[in-house]
Amino acid sequence: INLCSEESTGFAMSTNNLAFKFMKQVNKENIIFSPLSITYLFGTLLPGSNNVTFSEIQETFNFSPTESIHLESTKETLNEIRSLNGLRIQNNIWMDQRFNPMPQFKNISKKYFNTELESTDFLNQPELEESKINQLIEKETNNKIKNIIPSGSITKNTALILTNTIYFKDNWETGFNKLLTRDMPFFVTSNMQIKVPMMSIRNTSFSYYKNSELQIIKLPYQNSSICMIII
């Protein structure tokens, strides 16, 4: 995330910092994750926590300990993100009906995070609640993610489930011609290579940078301010 307004700096920087901290922990694994989704979820929880829990969330994500600053910077960033074409992001907090959150937390979640608190009956109707959550996730991801909550995951001890969906689809600003795709070597390691289909493009300029340690290229999308940066 590269947002320039002063109000959004806190939340944006928290997200960027988490991205690199998390990558250091999993840099030997082949995974995809969304730092924004993680900070978005836990940013929602911060106003509803206190004492040790508040401190742990605040310090881990480097959120502002001042609630008004945290809320305003988050709201500013999320509003900017939601204005981007082709991108959908949504939070939901599924809370068992045995628990009754304070009205202030409900209001803050809705106003600043656009997060809905859903009342559930995990104790008596776990299968129904699993189905409700799975249906929403499937809908918000355009049918890409199905059955995210496996059968039997919800038990009588389940109090809270946090879900975040992020979905993006757009065309490249400059498209790749399928006729130029060729099988070329891909280096799995410095000593091992395999043949894979590689896209190619000609007569086009991209933002590019390199030094002795890395190369960076920026590929913009067509209908929004979003781009893919490959390092």
Side-chain angles (χ1 to χ4, degrees):
I1 303 174
N2 182 17
L3 300 167
C4 299
S5 61
E6 291 183 4
E7 294 84 356
S8 65
T9 300
F11 184 80
M13 287 302 298
S14 295
T15 302
N16 288 335
N17 290 338
L18 174 74
F20 289 105
K21 285 167 64 177
F22 195 80
M23 286 180 68
K24 288 180 181 179
Q25 300 296 318
V26 297
N27 61 2
K28 293 184 179 179
E29 298 179 34
N30 187 17
I31 66 167
I32 296 175
F33 71 98
S34 166
L36 173 63
S37 298
I38 302 171
T39 50
Y40 186 6
L41 273 177
F42 282 90
T44 308
L45 289 185
L46 189 67
S49 62
N50 58 25
N51 301 327
V52 175
T53 304
F54 179 93
S55 297
E56 288 181 343
I57 295 175
Q58 186 270 320
E59 291 171 7
T60 299
F61 294 91
N62 198 32
F63 293 139
S64 172
T66 304
E67 183 175 274
S68 60
I69 296 176
H70 170 64
L71 295 178
E72 290 298 333
S73 69
T74 304
K75 182 180 180 181
E76 179 77 13
T77 304
L78 293 176
N79 284 344
E80 249 185 280
I81 291 170
R82 291 194 190 94
S83 70
L84 299 173
N85 293 328
L87 177 67
R88 295 203 311 262
I89 182 166
Q90 176 64 42
N91 265 4
N92 289 84
I93 297 177
W94 310 81
M95 184 175 292
D96 189 85
Q97 63 187 8
R98 291 169 287 175
F99 302 90
N100 189 24
M102 296 176 65
Q104 182 183 6
F105 180 61
K106 289 184 177 181
N107 294 335
I108 287 175
S109 298
K110 182 64 177 176
K111 179 179 179 180
Y112 292 95
F113 299 91
N114 196 34
T115 296
E116 298 288 348
L117 270 68
E118 311 284 351
S119 180
T120 61
D121 189 1
F122 291 145
L123 180 64
N124 300 304
Q125 301 187 80
E127 294 87 359
L128 176 62
E129 302 301 348
E130 286 172 3
S131 177
K132 282 168 53 178
I133 295 172
N134 284 334
Q135 287 177 17
L136 179 70
I137 299 298
E138 186 172 340
K139 175 186 174 184
E140 291 295 328
T141 59
N142 203 29
N143 303 316
K144 295 295 183 183
I145 298 178
K146 301 179 181 181
N147 300 319
I148 192 69
I149 305 291
S151 178
S153 297
I154 296 177
T155 71
K156 63 180 181 180
N157 296 319
T158 303
L160 191 73
I161 293 178
L162 311 173
T163 61
N164 171 278
T165 55
I166 185 166
Y167 177 83
F168 175 70
K169 183 174 176 63
D170 197 0
N171 294 320
W172 297 114
E173 185 177 80
T174 304
F176 289 83
N177 187 338
K178 292 182 179 181
L179 297 178
L180 297 180
T181 298
R182 297 284 187 273
D183 283 347
M184 297 179 67
F186 176 82
F187 289 85
V188 181
T189 68
S190 57
N191 300 317
M192 178 183 175
Q193 64 180 24
I194 58 176
K195 285 286 187 72
V196 297
M198 292 269 191
M199 296 188 297
S200 300
I201 198 162
R202 296 174 181 167
N203 304 319
T204 303
S205 298
F206 295 101
S207 297
Y208 174 78
Y209 171 81
K210 73 173 180 177
N211 62 24
S212 60
E213 296 182 337
L214 56 80
Q215 298 178 73
I216 303 175
I217 191 167
K218 177 180 176 181
L219 307 178
Y221 288 98
Q222 189 175 66
N223 300 311
S224 68
S225 301
I226 298 176
C227 61
M228 176 180 286
I229 296 177
I230 301 173
I231 304 175

